[in-house]
Amino acid sequence: MALANRLAYLLKVPRAPVPVFLCPVLASYSDPVHSTRRRDVRIQKRQLHVETAAAPVHELPTPSQLLELPRSCPGCGAFTQIVSPDQPGFFSTNRKSVKAFIARHGQASGRGQSGDSETFQRVLGSADAALLSQMGLTGAKQPTEASQKSTTKPTPICNRCHDLTHHRAGVSVIHPTIKSISEIIAESPHKYNYIYHVLDAADFPLSLIPSLQRQLSLAPQRSLNRRAKTSRFQYGRKAEMSFIITRSDLLAPKKEQVDSLMPYIVEVLRDALGGTGENVRLGNVRCVSAKRGWWTKQVKEDIWNRGGGGWMVGKVNVGKSNLFENVFPKGRYEDISIRAVRHAARQGPYSGEEDLESQSIGVRGQHIKERTQQSSDEENAHMLGDSLLPPAPPEIPFPVLPLVSSLPGTTASPIRIPFGGGKGELIDLPGLSRGDLEDFVKDDHKQDLVMRHRIKPEQLVIKPGQSLLVGGLVRITPLTEVPVLAYPFVPMKCHVTSAERAIAIHTQKEESRVVKNVKPGFGSRMDPAGTFPLKWDVTKQRAGPLTKKEAAGLSPKVLPFAVLSTDVLIEGCGWVELVAQVRKKDMESIDAVGDFFDTRPYPRVEIVSPDGRHIGVRQPMGAWMLNRKAGLSQKSARPRRSMKGEKKNMKKAQRKAELLSDA
């Protein structure tokens, strides 16, 4: 009955309107009943590079082979489909991994071996020979090493995930909206849910979703009041949220330096939240690095201790799947009470100490078997229904984790992976849209928009009458007669030139040998994003020995100048640190400093970007000084004195002494 339901599910047309991001093949399905509804649907194709080779020939599976394929791709979460080879979830039988998977399941079904018989054979293989002889099972068939290896082979991924892994080529899926994410989380089967709002450290806090708490109907953040409740139930469920900032290794080379930035990160996050962040504690903020393993162990322990449903929510390319791979509790089960195991051992015929482990394994296996049967029943119920949340797969100790790729929109559907023998599950959700900045870039330069490692920028000086071009996409022009220092923490090439030539290159009226990453015909869409002041005072950090305690130790108030700075954020790419030094006399204004409207003449810069978007401003982090200090601290000893010309000077002094002695 389950096989018939599954075959009908894979071949039928959905009866209810399903979001296109859950099943992308619906956009290309040629059904006359549904064609009018999907006529205006456009699939955004975003390729890592263009393939010039001929299209491969895919072998479609037969109906019998279709039943042996996985119900969904473990890499992207898309449901298995045989309609469109270019869309997620398509499996072709000419791949070795798919052939081996079909052969394993076909042999098991042909011999009549179910999951219970395979479990029985594995238990016999791990049991003691004396125990088997007393039970009369000496002639039982022992599982061979080849059969044990065959059961541990991973589930194959779809063709799209295979191409992303081995050929770095693929097509992005349609990004869901916050309303779709809210409807998916609303169907959670867990009473206790925890939302992990994943942010990117490269453009923090542009990847923040300010209305996430209101859109998901979550409990409000804990306020500063000491009597504030830690959590509460809503609609019979308990849902909490925390902020996780990933890829923190892009900020500083050491973990201690990133930890020292936590007060700054919390303050910037509070400003980004607006009015809702003024009276909250924000004690649920973590800055982690999946690449270096910074604070991932603590997050993994929190996920294990909380249990229930853990949901990874965020925008595309913020590192959700990479974080998922590092914080998922693999190969770990719920702790078993030793007292209950010993009591069960005394009741049985064998109460030796060597049987305690086998008893615990039996209890754990029975619990996992019950959870697997429950997930199978849930999966069949989901097939016959119209749920937006896909069914949970059977729990295994080391499952295939979501695919990690720099392509925006790699995850097509929610990926549910249970852990702990039914203790909870972790769900990786598709990312929300992060803007269309990559649509302005050529296909072979789209990888240049993603910051993969920490940038060591070069100090660029923007003089009056000059402009800074950041990858041909963003133009920064100072509006005051003050030189501005720029430190671009972006993976794109930066170029300083005259303002007139920068405008001509940016609008594609003139060709450049440096800027070649923008698609032709997009020069007319470069619009002003606004003028931004350099209003944060960083004199104490930038004045050098004048303000250091071990040197002059002067206060910044007595200095005749001030150093002002700001960070210009480029969505999904990085940031540019701008610094300018001005005289305090020029900063004097008629209005007092404490007025509501600060009208002091700060240095300003004009920023022009595609469609006037993808730009933000934040309080300066001081990343250049932080990385510069790390480089200087490596010099442990004083350098040796140069001996160049020392022998020549000694001879001159000796001749002069001889002449004086003769005289």
Side-chain angles (χ1 to χ4, degrees):
M1 185 63 182
L3 296 179
N5 292 337
R6 186 182 174 196
L7 182 59
Y9 171 77
L10 292 173
L11 298 179
K12 73 177 181 179
V13 179
R15 297 169 295 177
V18 179
V20 184
F21 78 92
L22 285 177
C23 190
V25 74
L26 294 179
S28 59
Y29 189 79
S30 59
D31 186 14
V33 178
H34 299 270
S35 60
T36 57
R37 182 182 303 168
R38 307 186 188 96
R39 185 173 299 170
D40 298 332
V41 176
R42 299 178 181 178
I43 298 180
Q44 303 173 1
K45 294 186 177 181
R46 303 180 181 181
Q47 298 181 354
L48 300 181
H49 66 273
V50 179
E51 295 286 345
T52 57
V57 179
H58 302 283
E59 296 182 7
L60 296 179
T62 61
S64 59
Q65 293 177 343
L66 186 61
L67 296 175
E68 306 300 336
L69 290 176
R71 290 189 172 101
S72 62
C73 173
C76 63
F79 287 105
T80 301
Q81 52 92 12
I82 57 172
V83 179
S84 179
D86 299 332
Q87 296 301 325
F90 182 84
F91 289 86
S92 60
T93 57
N94 53 1
R95 287 169 44 202
K96 292 183 179 179
S97 59
V98 179
K99 289 181 179 178
F101 185 82
I102 294 176
R104 291 198 304 269
H105 284 253
Q107 291 175 1
S109 61
R111 295 173 184 173
Q113 296 181 354
S114 60
D116 297 337
S117 61
E118 293 179 359
T119 305
F120 181 71
Q121 292 292 339
R122 287 197 299 268
V123 171
L124 291 181
S126 60
D128 190 10
L131 179 62
L132 293 178
S133 61
Q134 293 179 6
M135 297 177 64
L137 297 175
T138 54
K141 182 180 179 181
Q142 301 291 336
T144 61
E145 184 178 358
S147 63
Q148 292 179 358
K149 289 184 179 181
S150 64
T151 57
T152 59
K153 289 185 179 180
T155 306
I157 56 179
C158 65
N159 288 12
R160 172 176 173 268
C161 296
H162 180 270
D163 294 339
L164 284 173
T165 304
H166 300 284
H167 306 290
R168 299 179 60 84
V171 180
S172 178
V173 298
I174 296 179
H175 306 306
T177 60
I178 186 63
K179 184 178 179 181
S180 302
I181 297 296
S182 176
E183 293 176 353
I184 292 175
I185 297 179
E187 297 183 0
S188 172
H190 300 279
K191 184 178 180 180
Y192 299 93
N193 297 273
Y194 207 88
I195 311 299
Y196 299 94
H197 188 183
V198 185
L199 308 175
D200 190 7
D203 61 348
F204 176 78
L206 281 187
S207 55
L208 175 70
I209 309 173
S211 60
L212 181 64
Q213 185 174 352
R214 177 176 54 84
Q215 293 284 348
L216 300 183
S217 301
L218 303 177
Q221 296 282 334
R222 192 178 183 187
S223 64
L224 295 175
N225 191 340
R226 64 186 180 90
R227 294 185 178 90
K229 295 182 179 180
T230 57
S231 61
R232 65 182 183 182
F233 284 83
Q234 284 187 344
Y235 308 108
R237 294 179 181 177
K238 181 181 177 181
E240 300 176 359
M241 184 179 69
S242 65
F243 301 93
I244 298 182
I245 303 169
T246 60
R247 306 206 298 168
S248 61
D249 56 288
L250 301 178
L251 305 180
K254 296 182 179 180
K255 178 183 176 182
E256 294 77 14
Q257 295 175 330
V258 176
D259 294 342
S260 65
L261 293 174
M262 283 305 298
Y264 162 81
I265 291 174
V266 172
E267 184 178 356
V268 172
L269 180 60
R270 191 183 302 275
D271 295 339
L273 290 174
T276 60
E278 295 179 358
N279 196 30
V280 295
R281 300 193 181 189
L282 290 182
N284 52 354
V285 181
R286 286 192 178 273
C287 196
V288 304
S289 172
K291 181 179 180 181
R292 299 287 187 89
W294 296 345
W295 295 104
T296 55
K297 185 177 180 180
Q298 287 75 6
V299 176
K300 182 187 293 185
E301 289 297 325
D302 293 342
I303 293 174
W304 173 261
N305 295 330
R306 292 190 184 111
W311 306 80
M312 294 285 184
V313 182
K315 296 186 178 180
V316 296
N317 268 8
V318 296
K320 296 189 301 298
S321 299
N322 199 0
L323 178 66
F324 192 104
E325 182 178 356
N326 285 268
V327 302
F328 181 78
K330 300 178 285 290
R332 189 173 178 181
Y333 294 100
E334 184 68 57
D335 297 334
I336 298 177
S337 177
I338 299 298
R339 182 179 300 177
V341 173
R342 287 177 177 174
H343 177 72
R346 294 191 189 100
Q347 300 298 327
Y350 305 100
S351 58
E353 294 294 334
E354 65 274 4
D355 294 335
L356 289 179
E357 184 178 357
S358 61
Q359 291 285 346
S360 62
I361 294 175
V363 173
R364 182 180 300 172
Q366 180 68 21
H367 186 53
I368 296 175
K369 178 182 177 182
E370 294 176 358
R371 293 295 303 176
T372 304
Q373 182 65 27
Q374 182 178 355
S375 63
S376 179
D377 298 341
E378 179 186 353
E379 189 169 359
N380 294 331
H382 277 75
M383 285 183 175
L384 299 177
D386 298 319
S387 176
L388 296 178
L389 186 64
E395 180 179 346
I396 56 178
F398 297 93
V400 180
L401 297 176
L403 179 67
V404 179
S405 175
S406 59
L407 177 71
T410 303
T411 305
S413 296
I415 302 177
R416 303 174 59 182
I417 302 182
F419 62 87
K423 183 180 180 65
E425 63 176 337
L426 198 60
I427 302 100
D428 187 14
L429 295 176
L432 302 177
S433 178
R434 207 173 178 179
D436 56 350
L437 184 62
E438 62 178 11
D439 294 343
F440 294 83
V441 183
K442 298 178 182 178
D443 294 337
D444 53 346
H445 289 277
K446 287 184 177 180
Q447 292 296 308
D448 299 338
L449 299 178
V450 182
M451 187 188 299
R452 294 181 177 82
H453 56 274
R454 183 172 55 88
I455 303 295
K456 299 178 181 179
E458 179 185 359
Q459 177 177 292
L460 303 177
V461 182
I462 310 176
K463 299 179 180 179
Q466 291 183 340
S467 297
L468 173 66
L469 283 176
V470 182
L473 294 172
V474 180
R475 185 174 81 247
I476 303 175
T477 305
L479 300 179
T480 54
E481 298 297 326
V482 177
V484 177
L485 302 181
Y487 306 93
F489 289 86
V490 292
M492 299 177 290
K493 294 183 179 180
C494 298
H495 179 56
V496 177
T497 183
S498 62
E500 294 80 7
R501 190 165 184 268
I503 294 174
I505 295 175
H506 199 209
T507 56
Q508 295 184 345
K509 296 180 180 179
E510 181 180 341
E511 295 184 358
S512 174
R513 297 181 180 178
V514 180
V515 180
K516 297 182 179 180
N517 59 341
V518 183
K519 291 181 180 179
F522 284 89
S524 59
R525 296 181 60 179
M526 302 299 175
D527 298 329
T531 58
F532 303 95
L534 282 65
K535 60 180 181 180
W536 283 280
D537 193 350
V538 292
T539 307
K540 187 175 182 180
Q541 295 81 10
R542 287 272 183 171
L546 294 177
T547 56
K548 289 185 178 180
K549 293 182 179 180
E550 58 270 15
L554 299 177
S555 174
K557 297 181 180 179
V558 302
L559 298 177
F561 62 89
V563 183
L564 305 177
S565 176
T566 188
D567 283 353
V568 177
L569 305 174
I570 303 176
E571 190 172 23
C573 299
W575 73 96
V576 180
E577 183 179 351
L578 301 178
V579 182
Q581 179 177 327
V582 296
R583 295 193 306 172
K584 287 187 177 180
K585 292 183 178 180
D586 299 338
M587 294 294 295
E588 294 178 357
S589 177
I590 300 176
D591 300 332
V593 178
D595 288 349
F596 183 77
F597 296 101
D598 192 358
T599 59
R600 287 180 291 179
Y602 291 107
R604 291 180 172 271
V605 293
E606 181 186 11
I607 301 180
V608 181
S609 63
D611 293 335
R613 301 185 294 115
H614 316 288
I615 296 297
V617 174
R618 73 181 179 195
Q619 180 181 349
M621 182 186 299
W624 186 77
M625 295 294 295
L626 191 65
N627 289 272
R628 182 170 174 266
K629 289 181 181 179
L632 294 178
S633 62
Q634 296 176 358
K635 299 180 180 180
S636 57
R638 184 178 178 179
R640 294 182 59 186
R641 180 184 175 184
S642 177
M643 303 301 294
K644 184 178 181 180
E646 188 67 20
K647 189 178 293 186
K648 187 176 181 181
N649 294 334
M650 291 176 60
K651 290 182 179 179
K652 287 183 180 180
Q654 187 177 2
R655 292 195 197 99
K656 187 176 181 179
E658 292 177 355
L659 292 176
L660 291 176
S661 62
D662 294 342

